[in-house]
Amino acid sequence: MWADLKPIGRNAISGGYRRYAWTAADQDCRAWFRAQAESRGLTYELDRNGNQWAWQGDPLAGDAVVTGSHLDSVPDGGAFDGPLGVVSSFAALDELRRRGVEFTKPLAITNFGDEEGARFGLACVGSRLAAGQLTVAKAHELRDADGTTLPQAMEAAGYDPATIGPDPERLARIGAFVELHVEQGRALDLTGHPIGIASAIWPHGRWRFDFHGEANHAGTTRLEDRRDPMLTYAETVVAARREARLAGALATFAKVAVEPNGVNAIPSLVRGWLDSRAVDQETLDQVIAGIERAARENATRSGTDLHITQESFTPVVEFEHALRDELAKLLHSERGDIPVLGTGAGHDAGILSASVPTAMLFVRNPTGISHSPAEYAAEDDCVAGVIALADVLEGLACT
């Protein structure tokens, strides 16, 4: 499975993946998922929001146990973020069949669409729509860098955008959702454990900072006469790092758009996107307030105008303690105590937690690198993840 999926959407120069929602690479990933489902005799479904489902048992029976993740990527992302969870889900089902277990509940494997938000700027679009956390009106307003709307992209890929929206009936049929994911940090590597259980997802969000100045000639305009938004942006990037460090949080400006984007032209507009995360809401609010205050002070000094837009936000997610404890019990006997970890990364499991009991398993990442072609997990650890997921699914769906 891994070999078949590995070349899809891979950039020959960077070695990273560009599997953006509703593009040709995304379609190839979706075709791969459907082929895996059908080769196992599973019932394949595409829901109203473009999320894929593969069912062992009756999809309508209720109290289903669901596992899976996503197949899309960030720009030049790694091979494991998302796909490891989907591949491991099919492999775990294969393991359960090898064991000869009898299913007492329906089991589904899913691929949620547009989890990374690389194309339209909003993460977890597929799961947000299903859970009613993204309205149809807001979804229709989403546009990519070329101005293509989400409905236009879906239609171009052969899907009907008229059907998108909340899917409460489907979610009501799910008794538990367990997502396996490569760890996006080094906590497991430092403890020496190949597998961990998620405790919570930090609150996190994305903010767009629009710095408006005045375009002018770079070779003739005196420094004191300039209204340069790039200067304001640069000072804000430094301020973000300072505020995050002081609060023990995270803040990152990693995407920027410049107009007119000429080497010899002072910009008229610099647009930067901030990603910030913290262990709790109070700390995150403190960091964002500090960054905004510094940005406005810098804008005043440089004669530029600033507009800030919150594009997305996800509050802290505490995974259901009963399900989390059940996973720990199912995995304890031969493995000892399993580390329980918090994470700053968002996931579909976090979105669904408001509607469905959810839990997560992490697989060790020896370098801690993620969202990069250097992302890596050892094969032995990936196999350990499959066995752990199979043990969990057996305990939840076969007893």
Side-chain angles (χ1 to χ4, degrees):
M1 284 187 290
W2 198 255
D4 290 341
L5 187 61
K6 188 175 181 179
I8 298 175
R10 193 171 193 178
N11 182 267
I13 297 175
S14 70
Y17 290 90
R18 301 178 182 180
R19 297 167 173 163
Y20 308 147
W22 307 111
T23 63
D26 185 46
Q27 293 296 87
D28 288 345
C29 287
R30 289 169 173 273
W32 173 90
F33 181 95
R34 182 168 186 171
Q36 294 298 323
E38 293 177 345
S39 70
R40 290 168 173 80
L42 304 177
T43 300
Y44 173 79
E45 286 186 322
L46 186 73
D47 71 19
R48 63 188 301 175
N49 297 303
N51 303 311
Q52 294 179 292
W53 300 77
W55 289 90
Q56 162 86 33
D58 182 4
L60 301 178
D63 200 24
V65 176
V66 180
T67 186
S69 192
H70 64 95
L71 294 173
D72 65 311
S73 77
V74 299
D76 287 327
F80 294 83
D81 181 355
L84 180 63
V86 180
V87 171
S88 297
S89 296
F90 283 115
L93 174 59
D94 294 342
E95 169 65 13
L96 291 177
R97 288 178 169 180
R98 186 193 66 79
R99 295 177 185 178
V101 301
E102 293 187 11
F103 291 89
T104 56
K105 297 178 181 179
L107 174 70
I109 298 169
T110 187
N111 167 36
F112 283 104
D114 200 5
E115 193 271 354
E116 296 290 6
R119 184 172 182 184
F120 298 102
L122 178 65
C124 301
V125 170
S127 54
R128 284 184 193 273
L129 280 168
Q133 296 180 27
L134 173 63
T135 67
V136 175
K138 289 292 184 182
H140 280 230
E141 293 174 1
L142 294 175
R143 295 178 180 270
D144 66 13
D146 296 324
T148 303
T149 65
L150 173 62
Q152 289 170 338
M154 293 181 69
E155 193 168 22
Y159 295 82
D160 183 5
T163 66
I164 65 173
D167 205 351
E169 292 181 0
R170 178 178 295 273
L171 296 186
R173 300 200 303 267
I174 300 175
F177 176 67
V178 180
E179 181 174 3
L180 179 144
H181 205 280
V182 66
E183 188 196 358
Q184 293 167 292
R186 289 191 59 214
L188 288 174
D189 185 60
L190 295 173
T191 64
H193 289 78
I195 303 297
I197 298 173
S199 59
I201 297 176
W202 290 7
H204 57 279
R206 298 178 181 181
W207 291 260
R208 192 184 76 231
F209 286 62
D210 294 340
F211 300 94
H212 296 270
E214 181 178 59
N216 215 327
H217 198 297
T220 63
T221 310
R222 299 190 312 161
L223 294 181
E224 53 267 37
D225 292 337
R226 299 184 180 198
R227 295 177 54 227
D228 186 353
M230 184 64 79
L231 179 63
T232 317
Y233 170 70
E235 291 174 329
T236 303
V237 173
V238 175
R241 174 59 179 263
R242 181 182 65 248
E243 293 294 329
R245 179 175 53 80
L246 292 173
L250 300 169
T252 309
F253 276 100
K255 180 180 178 180
V256 61
V258 182
E259 297 178 10
N261 205 27
V263 175
N264 60 348
I266 299 166
S268 60
L269 170 66
V270 175
R271 176 171 289 146
W273 281 265
L274 169 69
D275 179 296
S276 190
R277 306 159 192 247
V279 68
D280 56 45
Q281 186 65 55
E282 182 180 0
T283 303
L284 182 60
D285 289 344
Q286 173 188 332
V287 170
I288 296 303
I291 296 172
E292 180 175 347
R293 181 171 57 252
R296 296 198 183 281
E297 291 173 354
N298 294 332
T300 299
R301 283 197 301 270
S302 61
T304 55
D305 298 320
L306 171 62
H307 181 70
I308 302 174
T309 303
Q310 180 177 293
E311 292 195 337
S312 68
F313 180 75
T314 303
V316 63
V317 173
E318 280 280 348
F319 289 112
E320 185 181 82
H321 290 196
L323 181 58
R324 185 183 71 193
D325 294 345
E326 180 68 13
L327 262 63
K329 184 171 67 174
L330 290 169
L331 296 176
H332 178 270
S333 59
E334 297 179 0
R335 300 175 178 87
D337 291 335
I338 304 297
V340 180
L341 316 171
T343 177
H347 301 281
D348 291 309
I351 299 298
L352 295 179
S353 65
S355 307
V356 174
T358 59
M360 290 191 71
L361 293 175
F362 291 129
V363 173
R364 176 165 50 192
N365 179 342
T367 66
I369 295 174
S370 187
H371 285 189
S372 160
E375 183 177 82
Y376 173 73
E379 184 173 324
D380 287 349
D381 287 349
C382 293
V383 172
V386 169
I387 300 304
L389 181 59
D391 290 347
V392 166
L393 297 178
E394 182 176 358
L396 296 177
C398 304
T399 56

